[in-house]
Amino acid sequence: MKYLKPIGLSLFITGFAIFNFSFFWSSYQLTPTIVKLQIRDSVKASVFLQETTELTKNKTKSNFSFVNQLHAAFERINQTQVQNFSISDAEVERLASYNKEKFTLTSVDSVFNGSDEKNIFKRKAFKNYGSWLDGQPTIKDQLHHVADNIKKFGIVNQFGFDRYAVKDLTYSITKASSVSPVKENPTFFLFLTIGLCVIGALLYILPKWQLPLGIKNNGIFFNTMKNVQWLGILTGSWLIAFYVFLYFYPEYMTNWVIMVDPVSKFLNGGEAGRFFLYGFLYTLCILVMGIRMLINYRHSKYQILRTCSVMFFQTAFAFLIPEIMIRLNQPYFDFKNIWPLDYSFFFNNRLDSLLANGGLGIFMLVWGIALIVIAVPVLVYFFGKRWYCSWVCGCGGLAETLGDPYRQLSSKKLSAWKIERWMIHGVLVFAIVMTAGVLYTYFTNASWVLFFDSYKLREVYGAFIGAGFAGVVGTGFYPLMGNRTWCRFGCPLAAYLGIIQRFKSRFRITTNGGQCISCGNCSTYCEMGIDVRWYAQRGQNIVRSSCVGCGVCSSVCPRGVLNLEVKEEDGRFGKAILIGNNGITLAE
Amino acid sequence: MKHIVIIGNGISGITAARHIRKQTNHRITVISSETEHFFSRTALMYIYMGQMKFEHTKPYEDWFWKKNKIDLLKDHVQKINTTEKTIQLQSGNHIRYDSLLIAAGSKPNKFGWPGQNLKGVQGLYSYPDLQLMEENTKGITQAVIVGGGLIGIEMAEMLISRKIAVTFLVRENDFWDNVLPKQEASLISRHIRSHHVNLLLATELKEIVGDNSGRVQAIVTNKGEQIPCQFVGLTVGVSPNIDFLKESGIETKRGVLVNEFLETNVPDVFALGDCVERKYELPGRRTVEQVWYTGRMMGEVVAQTIAGQKTKYEPGPWFNSAKFFDIEYQTYGTVGNQLKQNESDFYWEHPIGMKCVHVVWDKITNQFLGINAFGIRLRHECFDRWLREKKSIDFVMNHLVEANFDPEFFERHEGEIVREFKKVGSRQSVV
């Protein structure tokens, strides 16, 4: 038994090392077949092939080099096409001279009167982009503006590659061009990396079964991983890097995605994408570290049930069901995800997809709205916010399993609480405004709302909040700022749940009379950074917006002072008076 | 506006300061030679065990004191001149007071054992004691703890968390059986041993043996056994810290003598907390009460008086709590280690042996007198009310389920306890 831990650690380190090494362990060979498969437009494919002869002739050994060359090729193609098809200043001058008083679209036909491809495009493009000028007084600057828009968007979209296409194609071409042992035998490498890590972690965790029942937080603040020392900082840095690559540079991690292709084919019939890899790893982390939680807290039925719940909801609702839906040609849908955490629920592409999928799609739409309007207030009233944040949510699931070793790093300072209240409610407002803009655009087709572009706004939200805050910071900062950084400072759904919990709920953490000895274990181990002791040492119940009801304050309390309870609303907040002192009737 | 000076920044002194601040605009100065800021003494063990850092033991962030205008002074009180109402400090400064609150706490006992001043031998009460223990236990493999109380068992848990082998000398026949009834003391003794503590019962320390460099290397018991060790923890209780009050004119015996208003014999001088000895009796309570809860209560009481509303120290029904390794303990009312003549009792223990309940009642009046619970959390509010209202034992047992404070989904035992109680009750009534 005593050798299991070092063996487990060795296996984990080995698997992790191979995983990281495999990031670089690939050559890249572009072929005409790959280009034709990835770029369906044969004209564009042909142009692309001409620009990438080096990559088709030679193998490229580095993913960074390969990606750089792809980017350079896309850039060259776009530049060439812009040169070929853009409307020159001279042509704008001719348009202006043709329309001395008012602008008419017929003048476009006169200026671009050739029958060659360029002139045909210019005529059509100017009519599309400049139709709003028809009948208006001729203003030269506006003509230039239209020409610029055609240069930026029209030419690139039609003859080149816009930035979305560049992003998608860079990823898919890199993946398809990969030549490596991983590509040849993905199942074997899946075992050699993720498999070894899972086995190693479990071997490391299982000896905890031998410890006596009860909380064992010994040595946490001597531990280099759990106390923001070198190992924790290293881990946090790795997590941050992983999320940055996942969200912003997935083309570099194609070997990792290739590894899980067999699992993806088994589940949904298709090749894996980066978010399949993410979902797979996420679910595995929750399951493996969930087992750690079950062992550590096995004296507590509450913690056992809670942990089993998050493990179930992540595995079934967030991972398996959506993947199986794809196999059944239905929309990818996580039935437990709720707007505004699921911030894209009302985006046009998702609404269109649901509405186009018959009865099931409509059901999903109604279900999603019912969760927001009915389930959240009703369940928070009866059980508190914890029903979601500690029992159902994917972010909460990871926080309560993989994140549990870092719960003590959440700051309990008053200053952190002040920042928290402004920030989390600010994000909620941002989410609401962004969604309102998106819906307005959906129903009116006008992208400009008041003084902002709803497409731009949702893109900003997606990059900074959805990817940057929830992912890079929310998980990457586990070893640096605790396991609930996102839930505490950024999650708009947590803000919504929290407002209801604070003002209209039966949930509270009851303080057991005058028994608090101010030891501070409850505050230290509160993952949401609540200074629980402040309330307990005054005999007051704890009712806070942010409390996710993880129950750990109750678990770590050595004197039986704290208990999560749902009771009648009367007396929920409790008076700040300690039982035991007959001579005192303290003023309110 | 007066100048209130408080000696000691423990729970009683700070509680008084907070409540005085809330109700008055008096100038408040708190003097301590132990630490700059108030911290929870009850959490010292968790610092050593790596579960917390010192900063986590502070109930108030450091900005709290300035914001609330409570002056903290790190200095040692050498002398008190009650005639001139001044305090002489080690730094050479003098402080004038209008009201003086002595909350000087306790210090560990030593009973004159040979070798008790060797290096590696110490008590554990204060933060400096903890720092010394950190130093004394570096690189050691064996430790001996002398004394069978709450600090002793906490020290055992601390040392075991660092994989140091522990031998525990307990004078009683079972751990804490001078406080606990036999059944509970036996349960805790078994639990202590399950944590690989070498528990030696009915054993006392005779001598501490040092090496040539003046460091402890072994102890000798009253049974003649020699036990090698590199650390000796003396946890044979604490005594009021009152040495500095000699020649002050303030009356002391074991502690600072106070009346029911916590007044000393000198006007405008009060005493509160661990260092206090009551001149008068309170039923079921010792005259020296060295418990976190009573320290806090006394702080509240004195603050009322300072604020102009003279208030007696009138604690309600006794309550206390502790944790013995993994077993939590709560007690309400009076459960002595021996039954009194008019008392009856009922004891229930879980088959696994980590949970038990012991209730005591007056067999003449049937009035419920007290309860011990181990491993099951009970609701303070219920027992406080039932004891004040002098409920009968039958009432308490029939409503026991209301008093459960365990988390959701935990196994409940009240039904079984009540059934067992009624069986025993029936048997007794037959007799």
Side-chain angles (χ1 to χ4, degrees):
Chain A
M1 202 39 137
K2 75 179 175 183
Y3 298 109
L4 285 186
K5 236 180 160 186
I7 290 171
L9 187 58
S10 303
L11 291 179
F12 181 86
I13 290 172
T14 302
F16 191 64
I18 298 174
F19 184 79
N20 284 288
F21 182 69
S22 71
F23 182 90
F24 303 99
W25 196 5
S26 206
S27 301
Y28 299 87
Q29 177 69 69
L30 192 60
T31 69
T33 304
I34 289 171
V35 172
K36 283 165 189 167
L37 280 172
Q38 298 299 328
I39 305 177
R40 296 291 173 168
D41 184 318
S42 59
V43 174
K44 292 187 182 181
S46 174
V47 171
F48 186 80
L49 270 172
Q50 289 172 37
E51 288 293 337
T52 54
T53 51
E54 280 302 307
L55 297 179
T56 53
K57 262 193 249 172
N58 305 311
K59 255 184 191 180
T60 308
K61 292 216 167 99
S62 152
N63 47 357
F64 291 100
S65 173
F66 187 78
V67 168
N68 283 341
Q69 292 185 74
L70 287 184
H71 282 158
F74 285 122
E75 186 64 25
R76 288 196 300 272
I77 290 166
N78 284 345
Q79 277 177 10
T80 301
Q81 299 296 53
V82 163
Q83 277 177 33
N84 285 345
F85 290 94
S86 68
I87 295 170
S88 67
D89 287 346
E91 287 167 324
V92 172
E93 291 295 330
R94 286 178 60 201
L95 274 171
S97 70
Y98 248 85
N99 302 276
K100 293 200 194 295
E101 298 296 323
K102 285 186 178 182
F103 182 82
T104 64
L105 282 181
T106 55
S107 65
V108 173
D109 292 325
S110 302
V111 172
F112 307 116
N113 58 8
S115 61
D116 58 309
E117 184 185 31
K118 290 179 187 179
N119 277 291
I120 291 170
F121 169 77
K122 287 175 184 178
R123 282 203 299 275
K124 194 176 294 182
F126 208 101
K127 286 176 181 177
N128 279 336
Y129 282 79
S131 60
W132 55 283
L133 291 175
D134 198 25
Q136 301 295 315
T138 300
I139 299 172
K140 208 180 289 185
D141 280 352
Q142 286 177 347
L143 297 179
H144 280 292
H145 181 67
V146 170
D148 278 346
N149 278 343
I150 293 168
K151 184 184 292 186
K152 278 182 194 167
F153 304 113
I155 297 170
V156 166
N157 283 352
Q158 189 158 329
F159 299 107
F161 301 90
D162 65 29
R163 59 198 176 94
Y164 303 106
V166 168
K167 177 61 79 178
D168 288 346
L169 286 170
T170 303
Y171 168 79
S172 61
I173 289 171
T174 303
K175 184 172 189 241
S177 301
S178 174
V179 181
S180 72
V182 176
K183 187 76 169 282
E184 287 160 21
N185 205 334
T187 305
F188 175 67
F189 277 89
L190 179 62
F191 172 79
L192 213 59
T193 56
I194 294 167
L196 279 193
C197 285
V198 168
I199 293 167
L202 290 175
L203 290 181
Y204 189 86
I205 288 164
L206 287 175
K208 285 173 186 279
W209 191 268
Q210 280 190 310
L211 294 176
L213 290 177
I215 293 274
K216 289 289 173 285
N217 284 328
N218 295 353
I220 278 179
F221 286 97
F222 304 147
N223 187 297
T224 56
M225 168 70 91
K226 300 175 180 175
N227 189 23
V228 201
Q229 288 178 44
W230 68 269
L231 191 51
I233 293 169
L234 206 60
T235 304
S237 303
W238 187 92
L239 286 169
I240 290 166
F242 175 85
Y243 274 91
V244 169
F245 279 114
L246 177 77
Y247 281 113
F248 304 111
Y249 304 104
E251 56 269 21
Y252 295 107
M253 59 192 287
T254 53
N255 247 359
W256 291 348
V257 177
I258 288 165
M259 245 177 238
V260 295
D261 273 344
V263 185
S264 181
K265 285 169 183 169
F266 175 76
L267 284 177
N268 68 37
E271 277 196 356
R274 54 178 163 150
F275 288 114
F276 181 90
L277 168 71
Y278 181 48
F280 180 69
L281 288 179
Y282 200 99
T283 304
L284 273 185
C285 284
I286 287 183
L287 292 176
V288 171
M289 295 300 278
I291 289 169
R292 174 188 172 279
M293 278 292 282
L294 294 173
I295 292 175
N296 277 2
Y297 291 87
R298 69 190 183 282
H299 67 288
S300 170
K301 282 269 188 52
Y302 182 84
Q303 300 297 343
I304 290 173
L305 286 175
R306 195 168 71 81
T307 303
C308 289
S309 180
V310 292
M311 290 164 83
F312 167 77
F313 275 97
Q314 174 62 31
T315 305
F317 278 72
F319 186 59
L320 292 179
I321 290 176
E323 297 297 334
I324 291 168
M325 291 292 219
I326 290 173
R327 178 186 280 278
L328 301 175
N329 288 312
Q330 300 295 341
Y332 179 99
F333 194 77
D334 177 350
F335 283 90
K336 69 167 173 53
N337 211 353
I338 304 177
W339 178 91
L341 172 60
D342 183 12
Y343 64 90
S344 63
F345 182 73
F346 292 108
F347 282 14
N348 56 322
N349 57 308
R350 289 192 62 185
L351 288 178
D352 288 342
S353 168
L354 294 179
L355 294 172
N357 271 278
L360 182 56
I362 299 293
F363 172 79
M364 288 169 171
L365 180 59
V366 173
W367 171 266
I369 294 172
L371 283 180
I372 303 163
V373 176
I374 299 172
V376 164
V378 171
L379 292 176
V380 173
Y381 173 74
F382 282 107
F383 302 110
K385 173 181 176 180
R386 57 182 171 158
W387 78 269
Y388 192 75
C389 297
S390 284
W391 288 71
V392 169
C393 179
C395 306
L398 195 70
E400 298 298 344
T401 52
L402 182 73
D404 179 71
Y406 308 109
R407 58 174 49 256
Q408 65 282 351
L409 303 178
S410 298
S411 172
K412 280 79 193 179
K413 291 181 192 297
L414 184 66
S415 52
W417 186 24
K418 287 175 177 171
I419 292 168
E420 171 194 315
R421 285 183 293 177
W422 280 102
M423 190 173 285
I424 194 168
H425 294 111
V427 173
L428 177 60
V429 170
F430 190 3
I432 291 171
V433 170
M434 184 271 293
T435 302
V438 163
L439 286 172
Y440 177 85
T441 299
Y442 184 75
F443 289 117
T444 66
N445 279 312
S447 73
W448 206 255
V449 187
L450 296 177
F451 37 81
F452 60 85
D453 178 348
S454 70
Y455 289 112
K456 193 64 181 180
L457 192 68
R458 86 186 201 188
E459 187 181 332
V460 168
Y461 187 97
F464 283 95
I465 307 294
F469 206 150
V472 178
V473 170
T475 305
F477 276 45
Y478 274 12
L480 310 171
M481 279 178 65
N483 59 334
R484 290 276 196 175
T485 308
W486 160 248
C487 311
R488 181 179 180 194
F489 293 102
C491 177
L493 178 57
Y496 174 34
L497 292 155
I499 290 168
I500 300 171
Q501 169 162 282
R502 174 65 178 72
F503 293 106
K504 192 65 181 176
S505 174
R506 298 177 349 127
F507 173 78
R508 85 294 306 272
I509 298 176
T510 303
T511 294
N512 195 6
Q515 289 190 192
C516 178
I517 52 171
S518 297
C519 68
N521 270 291
C522 54
S523 295
T524 301
Y525 288 95
C526 177
E527 60 190 9
M528 291 301 279
I530 297 168
D531 190 1
V532 185
R533 166 176 54 189
W534 177 276
Y535 300 85
Q537 67 192 359
R538 291 145 49 97
Q540 249 186 319
N541 294 343
I542 297 96
V543 181
R544 278 273 282 262
S545 280
S546 62
C547 175
V548 293
C550 67
V552 167
C553 58
S554 171
S555 290
V556 295
C557 178
R559 300 301 177 92
V561 174
L562 300 162
N563 198 15
L564 278 62
E565 293 193 313
V566 288
K567 285 178 166 179
E568 295 309 313
E569 280 183 79
D570 290 356
R572 185 160 77 112
F573 288 84
K575 292 176 183 175
I577 183 160
L578 291 157
I579 289 176
N581 214 348
N582 286 2
I584 301 292
T585 49
L586 290 178
E588 285 299 316
Chain B
M1 178 171 133
K2 294 179 178 177
H3 185 196
I4 315 298
V5 174
I6 302 170
I7 299 175
N9 71 350
I11 180 61
S12 47
I14 291 299
T15 299
R18 277 183 45 241
H19 285 283
I20 291 168
R21 170 55 61 241
K22 208 179 295 184
Q23 298 177 71
T24 79
N25 65 343
H26 292 324
R27 181 182 165 202
I28 303 171
T29 300
V30 180
I31 306 172
S32 169
S33 60
E34 180 180 8
T35 54
E36 187 177 355
H37 297 108
F38 170 51
F39 69 96
S40 176
R41 192 176 303 289
T42 55
L44 281 183
M45 64 185 289
Y46 301 117
I47 300 173
Y48 185 90
M49 292 167 73
Q51 292 189 23
M52 294 170 80
K53 296 174 172 176
F54 178 69
E55 72 202 68
H56 298 135
T57 67
K58 297 181 196 175
Y60 305 101
E61 290 186 68
D62 293 351
W63 50 259
F64 175 90
W65 309 103
K66 191 165 194 175
K67 186 190 180 202
N68 288 279
K69 296 193 283 285
I70 296 173
D71 298 327
L72 304 178
L73 186 54
K74 188 163 197 301
D75 211 325
H76 187 72
V77 173
Q78 284 188 328
K79 214 178 207 180
I80 300 173
N81 185 324
T82 56
T83 307
E84 295 177 16
K85 288 192 164 183
T86 59
I87 295 166
Q88 182 180 310
L89 300 168
Q90 189 173 54
S91 64
N93 291 331
H94 288 77
I95 287 185
R96 196 178 181 287
Y97 67 83
D98 295 301
S99 294
L100 177 65
L101 278 55
I102 301 173
S106 301
K107 63 180 194 229
N109 288 334
K110 283 188 177 180
F111 291 126
W113 292 288
Q116 71 180 20
N117 293 315
L118 288 164
K119 277 184 265 175
V121 181
Q122 68 170 97
L124 179 68
Y125 178 81
S126 65
Y127 183 53
D129 289 340
L130 182 76
Q131 292 171 313
L132 179 63
M133 183 174 170
E134 184 75 49
E135 199 60 37
N136 278 338
T137 58
K138 250 171 205 161
I140 71 164
T141 55
Q142 294 156 302
V144 169
I145 300 170
V146 184
L150 297 184
I151 296 178
I153 193 169
E154 288 181 354
M155 187 183 265
E157 189 173 356
M158 291 159 74
L159 291 163
I160 284 194
S161 79
R162 296 198 184 187
K163 314 238 184 314
I164 296 163
V166 173
T167 298
F168 200 175
L169 307 190
V170 171
R171 182 178 59 181
E172 291 80 25
N173 290 323
D174 260 317
F175 178 79
W176 222 33
D177 73 3
N178 53 325
V179 174
L180 296 174
K182 180 69 181 174
Q183 300 99 316
E184 288 98 302
S186 175
L187 181 149
I188 297 299
S189 297
R190 292 197 306 271
H191 186 62
I192 292 169
R193 289 199 167 106
S194 78
H195 277 270
H196 310 297
V197 175
N198 180 26
L199 181 64
L200 302 184
L201 298 170
T203 306
E204 295 182 48
L205 174 68
K206 183 184 170 196
E207 183 186 352
I208 304 171
V209 182
D211 61 18
N212 290 337
S213 66
R215 171 144 202 123
V216 60
Q217 68 176 354
I219 60 103
V220 182
T221 71
N222 63 334
K223 296 170 176 172
E225 184 181 4
Q226 178 149 323
I227 302 173
C229 59
Q230 301 89 47
F231 175 82
V232 176
L234 299 176
T235 63
V236 282
V238 292
S239 301
N241 175 34
I242 56 174
D243 291 349
F244 70 101
L245 295 177
K246 286 173 191 158
E247 300 168 26
S248 65
I250 299 168
E251 198 177 13
T252 64
K253 210 178 343 171
R254 289 168 50 212
V256 185
L257 292 173
V258 297
N259 62 15
E260 65 267 33
F261 298 100
L262 303 180
E263 294 167 325
T264 65
N265 61 310
V266 177
D268 294 320
V269 176
F270 302 81
L272 56 163
D274 281 23
C275 65
V276 156
E277 180 179 357
R278 276 186 279 100
K279 280 190 219 177
Y280 63 103
E281 294 286 330
L282 280 174
R285 288 177 178 262
R286 305 189 203 168
T287 53
V288 177
E289 294 180 288
Q290 290 155 320
V291 176
W292 179 271
Y293 305 128
T294 57
R296 190 184 64 206
M297 289 179 207
M298 291 185 186
E300 291 169 352
V301 164
V302 166
Q304 299 297 310
T305 299
I306 297 290
Q309 187 172 322
K310 196 161 181 179
T311 307
K312 288 182 183 180
Y313 171 58
E314 291 177 319
W318 171 259
F319 69 99
N320 199 3
S321 70
K323 191 176 187 190
F324 306 99
F325 283 93
D326 300 311
I327 301 185
E328 288 171 24
Y329 161 65
Q330 284 164 270
T331 185
Y332 303 106
T334 306
V335 181
N337 62 334
Q338 304 276 353
L339 282 184
K340 294 189 172 69
Q341 197 149 20
N342 63 314
E343 289 176 350
S344 250
D345 73 326
F346 166 72
Y347 178 79
W348 171 88
E349 186 172 309
H350 190 279
I352 293 177
M354 285 193 45
K355 299 181 184 182
C356 73
V357 169
H358 201 153
V359 284
V360 172
W361 67 94
D362 185 310
K363 64 183 158 187
I364 297 168
T365 65
N366 246 27
Q367 180 188 329
F368 168 68
L369 296 178
I371 185 168
N372 281 351
F374 285 82
I376 295 173
R377 292 181 173 179
L378 297 180
R379 199 176 297 265
H380 185 188
E381 178 212 330
C382 290
F383 286 99
D384 188 67
R385 183 167 17 100
W386 294 342
L387 287 161
R388 288 168 192 272
E389 296 173 4
K390 301 186 197 294
K391 293 296 189 185
S392 72
I393 182 61
D394 298 297
F395 178 95
V396 168
M397 295 308 275
N398 287 334
H399 291 81
L400 196 61
V401 65
E402 291 170 32
N404 182 275
F405 201 70
D406 274 331
E408 287 161 320
F409 313 122
F410 269 52
E411 193 179 0
R412 306 308 201 212
H413 301 286
E414 284 76 36
E416 184 192 340
I417 294 169
V418 173
R419 281 195 299 277
E420 287 294 314
F421 169 77
K422 285 176 176 174
K423 276 190 211 168
V424 173
S426 300
R427 207 172 300 124
Q428 280 188 1
S429 71
V430 169
V431 175

